[in-house]
Amino acid sequence: MAICRAYRKGALFFIFRAYGETKFIFTVAIILCILIWLRKKDFRLIGFVIFSVGGGYGLYQLLKRLIERPRPDIADQFSTFSFPSGHAVHGLLYVFTIAYVLNRLYNFNKASLIVWIAAIILTLLIGLSRITEARHFASDVIAGWSLGYSWFIFIVWLYLKNKSTHSDS
């Protein structure tokens, strides 16, 4: 019964909210870039991380300022705009980027599916934490996931297109 009360109050999602914080995400992205440099010295893959995480951050910040949707009305609400959810966008981008990079750096084979399933679950929990804490409307989070996934696929496409261009020469 206590777990149900904690769930309703959003206490179980506290940790997932922290995983979607900008400082945490950029710290993880920097660590990921260092790992890539130490492991492979693949500057294109480092660029992939920077454009995925950093570019996605700029994109959702621009959209927040253009759309200017207010947040749900609760006490102690943030003063920034609501749409799209930055936690949803940025959370998806850095978690999917980690999964993609780990699959490029290491030959996981069977574990690759587990890495991607874990990435999807963590992304869902980060986004749901924003709804349970009433910091965003559900549509903000769904739009954030959609924007994040679209940006991620675009950056993967650019990365693979650039890779095939360099391997043809």
Side-chain angles (χ1 to χ4, degrees), residues 6-47:
Y7 175 78
R8 277 182 269 161
K9 291 180 182 178
L12 292 179
F13 283 106
F14 173 79
I15 189 109
F16 300 110
R17 176 182 46 110
Y19 288 145
E21 295 290 335
T22 302
K23 289 177 186 174
F24 180 81
I25 290 171
F26 280 126
T27 300
V28 170
I30 290 167
I31 292 168
L32 190 60
C33 288
I34 292 169
L35 175 68
I36 295 166
W37 183 76
L38 291 173
R39 179 98 165 113
K40 280 198 167 185
K41 296 198 179 6
D42 184 343
F43 295 106
R44 285 187 50 260
L45 194 54
I46 292 170

Side-chain angles (χ1 to χ4, degrees), residues 54-160:
Y57 175 79
L59 183 61
Y60 86 74
Q61 287 293 337
L62 174 68
L63 285 175
K64 278 183 179 283
R65 285 167 178 75
L66 290 174
I67 296 168
E68 295 185 351
R69 180 179 182 178
R71 291 181 178 267
D73 190 24
I74 64 167
D76 299 320
Q77 184 58 284
F78 301 127
S79 61
T80 58
F81 295 115
S82 184
F83 187 91
S85 165
H87 275 72
V89 175
H90 226 191
L92 181 142
L93 282 171
Y94 95 93
V95 172
F96 277 33
T97 299
I98 291 169
Y100 187 80
V101 167
L102 288 177
N103 279 285
R104 306 267 328 153
L105 291 178
Y106 304 99
N107 191 6
F108 280 143
N109 293 332
K110 294 178 184 175
S112 178
L113 180 61
I114 294 169
V115 168
W116 280 104
I117 289 171
I120 291 167
I121 290 170
L122 182 56
T123 297
L124 291 172
L125 290 171
I126 290 170
L128 291 174
S129 75
R130 309 314 291 155
I131 298 168
T132 59
E133 293 179 340
R135 299 298 183 184
H136 285 284
F137 298 103
S139 58
D140 301 337
V141 172
I142 293 168
W145 286 331
S146 299
L147 177 64
Y149 186 72
S150 298
W151 181 255
F152 178 76
I153 294 301
F154 176 66
I155 298 301
V156 168
W157 176 77
L158 286 177
Y159 175 78
L160 293 176

